[in-house]
Amino acid sequence: MKEKVMVAMSGGVDSSVAALLLMEKGYKVTGATLRLFSNSEAGIKGRRPCCSLADVEDARGVAARLGIDHYVFNFGAEFRREVIARFAEGYRKGETPNPCIDCNRYIKFGKLLERAKLMGMDKIATGHYARVEFDPGRGRWLLKKARDPSKDQTYVLYEMTQEELASTLFPIGGLKKTGVRALAAAHGFGNAKKPDSEDICFVPDGDYAGFLVRVLGIRAEPGNFIDRNGKVLGRHRGIIHYTIGQRKGLRLSFPEPKYVVKKDAENNTVLLGSSEELLSGGFSVRDANWISIANLKGPMRVGVKIRYSQSESPAVVYPEGGKILVRFDRPQRAVTPGQSAVFYDGDIVVGGGKIANR
């Protein structure tokens, strides 16, 4: 009997080709599109974010062309609770969260997998650029980088569990984007040239602070810019307007460049300093999730990636009092609390966690 796979079809070209490839491999494929919010709920006007009604129609059109069933699941309440609320809370605490990671954890590989199993599916699949393999020697499922390093998305998938990895397929993980678009065009998909989504889906204009104030009603309380000695350098517009490493938009003038070095939510201050003050030799990680190992029992040499767009840097990780201590071989710039640190051993994801406040 054919294995039944539910493909998360966002309306984009990647998930559309994922469904195509699974059909060609003999799987019984069903498509599913997730409705997570509406434009009005997100305060969006005149823009087309992902998860829009237009994306639902794009996904439905591809499903019809492939001759497969297509469902639309409304996970709006779960998205607001597990993703948007966590995003807001992170900013309240002076962090800079990555909601895409929470969306993958709680919605795409949480609620969708749960729904798929209830409908009798064997597995789910997505259009992420990543690979999954079972390692008999370790007795564990491994998450591995995509063949195309420029498209690798393992950074936003590091919170996947062994159960989720065992039940997930990434059909395009071995392809390049040009190859994916060529397949879509060859099969007449209307979204073959559809541009990739680069912004946070519910903040497509990139104005995170505006979204927090306008939609969630979070107050941006003005406070003081200070230096290392506590000297007041000026007034800020509210800590939600700033992120670590920021230089532009401070609305202050100094003889030498100043950067946001730290945000202190408790005292409502923003610490400004030199580029050198942004360098950090290490940090702590909370809420660690392990993939290639069951747990970290001692020092381990890894490559550490501290943001999605960055290459990993060599470091050693240590278990320390319920957290993980990261020590870089060479200091790194703008380590940002609330972002994730993901640990790699070559192309294998060892695990990762959230960067803790200093």
Side-chain angles (χ1 to χ4, degrees), residues 2 11 48 100 141 194 214 289 298 355:
K2 293 181 179 180
R48 175 177 162 166
C100 297
W141 289 91
K194 187 175 180 178
R214 182 181 68 251
N289 181 64
I355 299 172

Side-chain angles (χ1 to χ4, degrees), residues 224-235:
N224 289 329
F225 285 119
I226 61 173
D227 65 12
R228 285 285 183 191
N229 299 316
K231 178 182 176 182
V232 176
L233 303 175
R235 296 285 285 174

Side-chain angles (χ1 to χ4, degrees), residues 273-287:
S274 65
S275 180
E276 289 73 21
E277 289 178 270
L278 281 172
L279 296 175
S280 175
F283 57 92
S284 292
V285 168
R286 57 179 172 83
D287 305 326

Side-chain angles (χ1 to χ4, degrees), residues 238-249:
I239 63 173
I240 63 173
H241 288 278
Y242 308 96
T243 190
I244 305 302
Q246 180 177 337
R247 177 185 173 187
K248 295 182 179 179

Side-chain angles (χ1 to χ4, degrees), residues 101-316:
I101 292 175
D102 285 335
C103 185
N104 284 330
R105 176 180 180 180
Y106 295 105
I107 309 299
K108 292 178 182 174
F109 301 102
K111 293 300 297 182
L112 180 62
L113 180 56
E114 177 185 301
R115 182 68 58 86
K117 293 291 187 181
L118 285 173
M119 294 178 65
M121 302 292 161
D122 299 299
K123 295 185 176 182
I124 62 171
T126 73
H128 284 99
Y129 286 85
R131 295 176 293 146
V132 176
E133 294 179 9
F134 183 73
D135 185 338
R138 306 180 199 226
R140 298 185 67 81
W141 289 91
L142 302 180
L143 176 63
K144 304 181 74 174
K145 293 179 182 178
R147 295 288 186 192
D148 182 354
S150 69
K151 297 300 295 181
D152 176 62
Q153 292 176 296
T154 52
Y155 178 84
V156 296
L157 300 172
Y158 80 89
E159 289 195 319
M160 292 185 71
T161 66
Q162 286 292 297
E163 178 185 1
E164 289 165 352
L165 289 166
S167 301
T168 302
L169 300 171
F170 296 126
I172 66 170
L175 302 179
K176 291 189 175 183
K177 186 74 177 200
T178 51
V180 169
R181 290 198 183 279
L183 281 169
H187 287 81
F189 293 172
N191 59 9
K193 295 182 179 180
K194 187 175 180 178
D196 294 337
S197 175
E198 297 181 354
D199 297 306
I200 292 176
C201 62
F202 54 88
V203 195
D205 62 359
D207 183 8
Y208 309 138
F211 173 83
L212 292 168
V213 173
R214 182 181 68 251
V215 180
L216 302 183
I218 293 177
R219 296 184 63 183
E221 295 287 351
N224 289 329
F225 285 119
I226 61 173
D227 65 12
R228 285 285 183 191
N229 299 316
K231 178 182 176 182
V232 176
L233 303 175
R235 296 285 285 174
H236 67 67
R237 296 179 292 146
I239 63 173
I240 63 173
H241 288 278
Y242 308 96
T243 190
I244 305 302
Q246 180 177 337
R247 177 185 173 187
K248 295 182 179 179
L250 302 180
R251 300 183 179 180
L252 295 174
S253 179
F254 299 100
E256 297 179 348
K258 295 287 186 184
Y259 301 84
V260 174
V261 174
K262 183 180 179 181
K263 300 192 294 182
D264 184 342
E266 184 177 352
N267 296 302
N268 195 26
T269 57
V270 176
L271 175 65
L272 300 183
S274 65
S275 180
E276 289 73 21
E277 289 178 270
L278 281 172
L279 296 175
S280 175
F283 57 92
S284 292
V285 168
R286 57 179 172 83
D287 305 326
N289 181 64
W290 302 105
I291 294 180
S292 68
I293 59 176
N295 206 353
L296 184 67
K297 297 180 179 179
M300 183 178 186
R301 176 158 286 280
V302 294
V304 179
K305 194 171 183 178
I306 59 172
R307 55 182 56 87
Y308 181 82
S309 60
Q310 184 184 53
S311 299
E312 59 260 32
S313 301
V316 177

